[in-house]
Amino acid sequence: MEYEGVASSSRGKQKINRCLLIGIITFLAFAIILAFVLVYTLKKEHGPRETVLSRCQRYLDANPSASSVNDCERIWSVFEQAYVGKDPCDVAPEAYDPLIKAVQQKVPCNENLFWSKTNEMAHALTKNRNCLMTLEDTLLGFMFNGLTWCSKNGSKETFTTGCPGWMECINPMRSFWIRASANFAATACGNVSVMLNGSINSPFNPDSIFASVEMQNFNPATMDSLRVLLVTKETDMMTCSNKSLMDLQTLLSSGPLRAVTYTCRVIPHAKVKNCIDDLEIPCSDCW
Ligand code: AVW
């Protein structure tokens, strides 16, 4: 009798252990499936397509004049066609020609602001002031600013990691910025400004996108002047007579842009800061 009692209590324990094990396995299986579903959903919601579409919509909501002529879904699909399925080291700037055509926006004359090595200051200024506009303040630049993208031969996907470096080869990102910059320059009109960095030896660098792409695409038929805003700190010895700026002036006066008037003005860093912070100062007093 005693033996039978021990045997049945050990069978009972075995049963409990088996149930516990099945419970744990079921719980783990559910947890793993849930984790996969979550990762997949989050990836889908925060992929490059969603980022670009949401930026596009945000821009159009804030700029109703551009909204009736631009279709975000169509822009994304034309954008993708430039690089999807291609070798990430073989996407030329021309691949973005259809995208340039698909995005409709006219920057008002006298408002184009180019920049070189002044990214932060130029954008801090245009963020607070709407008298000047950079490429990154246009719909096209706004949608893709700061993003990384590429695809692979035969793939249908857009990758945001593992893409070639900026200088590595003819990559989808550099080609995009070259093509977008060329278009921004080709459509610039009136009095055009460029903010250059007076704290470096050569504010006008021939290898920069400003020199090698934008200057080459300026249209003398629509442009009246190029105004250099040379942002300089108190301790800088920089002036408009800097050798690189003389080269810029020569480049203008000796080629197809000879009818474009050149001006250069040293603007103290503190003055630009004041213009960013104090909206009472009219734009015309900033430079
Ligand atoms: P910049 P740019 N790796 O301040 O005149 C990654 O020299 O060239 O000014 N990104 C890079 C690299 C690199 N090696 N070099 C440049 N970039 C990207 C469009 C990066 O995003 C506007 F209309 C950096 O912030 C301006 O007038 C940006 O290029 C003109 O081009 C600017 O480099 C500024 O080009």
Side-chain angles (χ1 to χ4, degrees):
M1 282 294 277
E2 207 173 278
Y3 173 76
E4 255 181 40
V6 171
S8 82
S9 100
S10 116
R11 263 202 305 276
K13 270 188 192 154
Q14 269 179 4
K15 209 174 169 186
I16 291 172
N17 282 347
R18 212 177 306 131
C19 285
L20 210 65
L21 196 67
I22 292 171
I24 291 172
I25 290 172
T26 316
F27 174 78
L28 282 178
F30 266 116
I32 290 169
I33 292 169
L34 193 71
F36 270 110
V37 169
L38 267 177
V39 166
Y40 181 75
T41 321
L42 283 177
K43 221 176 147 190
K44 257 197 122 181
E45 274 174 13
H46 297 283
R49 179 177 181 274
E50 288 65 35
T51 306
V52 170
L53 287 181
S54 103
R55 284 186 183 186
C56 179
Q57 204 46 60
R58 214 159 11 111
Y59 191 95
L60 296 184
D61 290 344
N63 300 272
S65 63
S67 75
S68 60
V69 285
N70 287 291
D71 173 346
C72 297
E73 290 276 358
R74 183 164 172 269
I75 291 172
W76 169 260
S77 128
V78 175
F79 166 72
E80 263 192 326
Q81 283 164 31
Y83 64 91
V84 163
K86 296 185 186 170
D87 177 343
C89 272
D90 192 16
V91 176
E94 295 71 37
Y96 292 98
D97 285 356
L99 175 69
I100 298 294
K101 281 207 194 92
V103 180
Q104 298 287 316
Q105 188 173 22
K106 172 98 189 69
V107 175
C109 288
N110 310 320
E111 291 188 10
N112 293 82
L113 176 65
F114 295 84
W115 54 272
S116 203
K117 295 283 180 280
T118 51
N119 191 345
E120 223 175 281
M121 176 137 283
H123 291 107
L125 183 77
T126 59
K127 188 171 172 242
N128 286 7
R129 299 289 178 134
N130 44 22
C131 50
L132 290 176
M133 205 168 175
T134 67
L135 168 60
E136 294 73 18
D137 299 319
T138 66
L139 173 60
L140 185 65
F142 182 80
M143 283 186 292
F144 301 104
N145 198 14
L147 301 186
T148 298
W149 68 89
C150 66
S151 185
K152 273 184 195 152
N153 249 333
S155 167
K156 286 187 176 147
E157 274 186 78
T158 294
F159 306 109
T160 53
T161 53
C163 296
W166 183 263
M167 293 303 279
E168 208 176 306
C169 56
I170 313 169
N171 63 75
M173 289 172 296
R174 190 151 64 113
S175 290
F176 167 82
W177 286 108
I178 288 176
R179 187 62 191 86
S181 301
N183 180 62
F184 188 62
T187 55
C189 52
N191 303 315
V192 167
S193 309
V194 59
M195 186 181 278
L196 297 181
N197 188 335
S199 302
I200 55 177
N201 286 337
S202 297
F204 179 66
N205 171 8
D207 298 328
S208 65
I209 289 190
F210 174 66
S212 67
V213 178
E214 295 173 328
M215 282 281 294
Q216 313 301 320
N217 280 279
F218 281 151
N219 181 356
T222 56
M223 244 175 92
D224 297 324
S225 69
L226 177 66
R227 170 174 64 172
V228 171
L229 308 172
L230 188 59
V231 180
T232 309
K233 296 211 174 102
E234 256 177 52
T235 49
D236 294 336
M237 303 293 284
M238 182 60 63
T239 70
C240 284
S241 316
N242 173 274
K243 161 89 173 57
S244 77
L245 297 174
M246 294 289 117
D247 294 343
L248 164 52
Q249 202 174 351
T250 308
L251 206 70
L252 268 188
S253 60
S254 60
L257 296 169
R258 71 183 73 83
V260 173
T261 309
Y262 170 83
T263 65
C264 174
R265 202 172 293 175
V266 169
I267 320 276
H269 193 270
K271 192 173 180 186
V272 186
K273 266 213 110 277
N274 283 343
C275 284
I276 292 169
D277 298 334
D278 183 357
L279 302 184
E280 299 281 300
I281 305 172
C283 271
S284 53
D285 288 354
C286 291
W287 32 81

